[in-house]
Amino acid sequence: MTKVYCIGKGLVTPLGNTVEEVFEAAREGRSRRLFERDGLSGASFFDKIAIEAAKKAIQGIEITPKTGLVLSTTKGNIEHIGKADISLAASARSIADAIGIKTSPIVVSNACISGIAALLQGVRMIRSGEYDSVVVVGAEVHSDFVHSGFDCLKALSPEPCRPFDKDRRGLNLGEAAAAMVLSAKEGPWELSDGVIRNDANHISGPSRTGEGCYKCLRYVTEGIDKEDIAFISVHGTATPYNDEMESIALYRAGLSDVPVNALKGVFGHTLGAAGILEAIVSMAAFEKGIVLPTKGFSEMGVTYPVNVSAKERPASGKLFVKLLSGFGGVNGAMVFRKGGAL
């Protein structure tokens, strides 16, 4: 099977616009979830940040007639409803045009696992032989529509979120854009295994047994020595049911002792951007030999044991796992292995 690597990365976040800036912010425990919106220059804010992230990712990389684009988002330009074409397809075409991609772009919108689903789609495109590189962009912006939806579910915390903590009160929404360039050409990171499992438990509530999440973890870690897993970057929304479900899934998969961290205390929940953003920051942490702290976590608040990193600590291993869950019972996981020279 063709190996697929990440050969380019780009970030645009409220905490900084380079991987180094964003990583250091996460390491120091700083948090900023929303942008100051200015300088739109005729483009929607959503398109603007997605294009900027993609341009950063492709620096020094040739765009060819066989380069593809995958856009990951849940709501896209919903804030412009009634004012413009807000279709996700239109945004994807706008991003592709801005970076010189001529092939038809693909949109992945699969709730909060969209980022992992989009990366998996990109991997499959490379392995098909029809593409020599794929730019995968995840982006999300805040809007009254998105806020109202989560507010109706009583899922929003009035204070900074606290993943896995006994006093957690819900999630914070965030916005960001993140991009990776995938290729069969050897690069620093290999995207070796990815999977999606839908347990179809409920339209918004996660499985009480962590069924889909457990099946994802079991699939991607099969045959892997636990000692080789540096850490698992979990979904960690800080909602009562999500964190509990992930603890059950980790326990069922025999991974309770593996270091775990959640990054939503830093960025908020960036929805369609989360999988790509958190994977990129996790790559930087792995390269520094650390497990990033879980901002907001103090005292365990889930039933099953989870090895949550409350503070920065050394990491050892050959790979890390990114885990996501979402509405409709969807779950996704991907293994990121250290590839060639940095």
Side-chain angles (χ1 to χ4, degrees):
M1 184 179 293
T2 302
K3 291 186 176 183
V4 178
Y5 298 89
C6 172
I7 61 170
K9 303 186 289 286
L11 294 178
V12 178
T13 82
L15 282 166
N17 296 330
T18 69
V19 175
E20 293 75 17
E21 286 176 335
V22 177
F23 165 72
E24 288 300 332
R27 189 176 194 177
E28 294 167 10
R30 288 186 276 132
S31 178
R32 187 177 177 188
R33 298 183 291 274
L34 303 178
F35 289 102
E36 293 181 7
R37 301 198 185 190
D38 56 12
L40 298 185
S41 303
S44 78
F45 191 71
F46 174 83
D47 287 8
K48 174 182 170 62
I49 63 172
I51 290 168
E52 287 185 7
K55 286 182 176 179
K56 289 175 182 292
I58 65 172
Q59 287 181 359
I61 297 172
E62 181 185 6
I63 300 297
T64 75
K66 293 181 66 177
T67 299
L69 176 83
V70 181
L71 172 63
S72 164
T73 185
T74 63
K75 298 296 184 289
N77 268 317
I78 194 71
E79 62 185 291
H80 291 290
I81 192 167
K83 302 175 184 177
D85 181 356
I86 66 163
S87 70
L88 302 184
S91 288
R93 186 68 264 170
S94 173
I95 297 163
D97 289 344
I99 59 175
I101 291 177
K102 303 302 182 184
T103 55
S104 295
I106 294 173
V107 174
V108 173
S109 185
N110 192 5
C112 298
I113 74 162
S114 295
I116 288 294
L119 289 171
L120 186 54
Q121 173 66 30
V123 168
R124 290 170 175 168
M125 290 164 70
I126 297 293
R127 287 177 175 164
S128 74
E130 295 183 16
Y131 298 84
D132 53 27
S133 61
V134 177
V135 181
V136 183
V137 185
E140 212 72 66
V141 296
H142 189 266
S143 68
D144 290 341
F145 179 88
V146 174
H147 185 277
S148 297
F150 282 94
D151 194 35
C152 287
L153 293 171
K154 309 299 182 185
L156 296 178
S157 174
E159 59 191 30
C161 71
R162 307 180 68 174
F164 293 94
D165 191 82
K166 71 179 184 63
D167 294 322
R168 67 192 186 279
R169 300 178 64 184
L171 61 84
N172 306 139
L173 290 168
E175 50 189 5
M180 289 190 199
V181 183
L182 309 186
S183 173
K185 179 181 178 180
E186 186 170 350
W189 284 93
E190 180 192 348
L191 285 65
S192 62
D193 293 291
V195 68
I196 295 170
R197 292 290 182 264
N198 190 338
D199 55 42
N201 177 74
H202 186 268
I203 192 171
S204 60
S207 166
R208 297 298 190 270
T209 61
E211 196 64 29
C213 190
Y214 156 68
K215 288 180 177 178
C216 284
L217 288 169
R218 184 181 64 180
Y219 179 90
V220 299
T221 61
E222 185 176 6
I224 293 176
D225 189 326
K226 285 197 302 182
E227 299 300 317
D228 288 339
I229 305 174
F231 56 85
I232 300 173
S233 174
V234 295
H235 196 45
T237 62
T239 54
Y241 293 131
N242 175 88
D243 292 4
E244 178 72 6
M245 178 274 292
E246 286 194 285
S247 78
I248 294 169
L250 289 162
Y251 175 80
R252 290 182 65 192
L255 299 170
S256 295
D257 295 333
V258 175
V260 159
N261 74 342
L263 294 174
K264 290 182 175 61
V266 176
F267 305 111
H269 193 346
T270 56
L271 306 176
I276 304 169
L277 167 64
E278 293 171 11
I280 290 174
V281 174
S282 294
M283 288 177 185
F286 186 100
E287 288 167 357
K288 294 290 186 180
I290 66 169
V291 183
L292 285 168
T294 299
K295 183 175 174 60
F297 174 80
S298 177
E299 185 176 346
M300 188 63 66
V302 293
T303 304
Y304 289 83
V306 181
N307 190 5
V308 180
S309 294
K311 299 179 180 179
E312 178 184 314
R313 57 173 158 168
S316 61
K318 300 176 181 178
L319 56 91
F320 72 86
V321 177
K322 179 67 202 130
L323 183 64
L324 292 174
S325 298
F327 289 165
V330 293
N331 302 271
M334 182 165 280
V335 171
F336 294 81
R337 295 177 184 268
K338 200 68 183 63
L342 289 175

